[in-house]
Amino acid sequence: MRGADVHGSGSGGEPGAAAGSGVDHEFLALERELAVFLRRARANSGEMAREVHPDLEAAAYGLLVRLESAGRQRATDLAAYFGVGKATMSRQLRALEGLGLVARETDPADGRASLVHLTEEGLARFRSVRDARRGRYARKLAGWDRAEVAELARLLHHLNERAED
């Protein structure tokens, strides 16, 4: 982890605890590394969103990811998944519709509701950007053993599962 001292004693305190804080160095190191990772991920989402369409908001890229992986979704389900309000989701979906990246259709299970899905253009643009991103990941991690990549993916999945609880 970028030189983080996760095993040391810090400033003369107890081993594994930050001086006077009672917080384990391992958790402080994790917090630092996640903060850096999340800042970079937000910046990358913005770049990827602009690659999909110059007018696409960074936050909307995640919607494309979700729609590509989960398929047709109700706006209320998308709002719940992302932890945002219905109004926020509605605004983001209208913007995506305006760009021709998503469309709505009547939900066959409930004619009063609609399902949102990627358009052919939205899917093609998204996949092109996603494939380029995967190539960047592969190049950045080229020196890693495949087992290390798999372990990182497993640990991140575990962290994400716990965050949903």
Side-chain angles (χ1 to χ4, degrees), residues 81-94:
Y81 179 81
F82 287 105
V84 299
K86 292 177 188 176
T88 299
M89 183 55 58
S90 247
R91 183 186 58 77
Q92 290 179 345
L93 290 173
R94 274 194 309 276

Side-chain angles (χ1 to χ4, degrees), residues 74-165:
R74 287 184 178 190
T76 53
D77 293 336
L78 288 166
Y81 179 81
F82 287 105
V84 299
K86 292 177 188 176
T88 299
M89 183 55 58
S90 247
R91 183 186 58 77
Q92 290 179 345
L93 290 173
R94 274 194 309 276
L96 287 169
E97 282 181 290
L99 296 173
L101 302 174
V102 303
R104 295 176 196 251
E105 64 185 39
T106 302
D107 184 346
D110 180 356
R112 298 168 297 167
S114 62
L115 297 174
V116 180
H117 64 91
L118 290 171
T119 61
E120 286 185 32
E121 179 182 354
L123 184 59
R125 286 176 176 247
F126 168 76
R127 285 184 175 166
S128 173
V129 172
R130 181 204 54 202
D131 293 348
R133 180 191 63 198
R134 286 180 178 170
R136 288 191 294 271
Y137 282 148
R139 286 188 296 281
K140 286 181 180 184
L141 300 175
W144 287 36
D145 181 275
R146 289 279 181 149
E148 290 175 318
V149 175
E151 180 65 3
L152 177 59
R154 186 190 70 75
L155 290 170
L156 287 171
H157 177 76
H158 188 62
L159 180 64
N160 285 328
E161 278 186 327
R162 293 288 174 106
E164 289 179 13
D165 293 343

Side-chain angles (χ1 to χ4, degrees), residues 8-73:
S9 60
S11 306
E14 293 180 28
S21 71
V23 177
D24 290 340
H25 281 282
E26 293 84 358
F27 290 101
L28 291 174
L30 175 63
E31 180 182 35
R32 270 193 312 272
E33 296 305 322
L34 281 175
V36 170
F37 181 79
L38 291 171
R39 275 194 304 271
R40 288 182 178 154
R42 276 192 218 70
N44 286 338
S45 283
E47 290 170 17
M48 289 184 293
R50 285 185 296 281
E51 288 177 32
V52 170
H53 192 285
D55 297 329
L56 187 64
E57 292 181 21
Y61 184 80
L63 277 169
L64 301 179
V65 171
R66 179 67 180 168
L67 288 169
E68 198 272 342
S69 67
R72 289 162 163 57
Q73 300 274 297

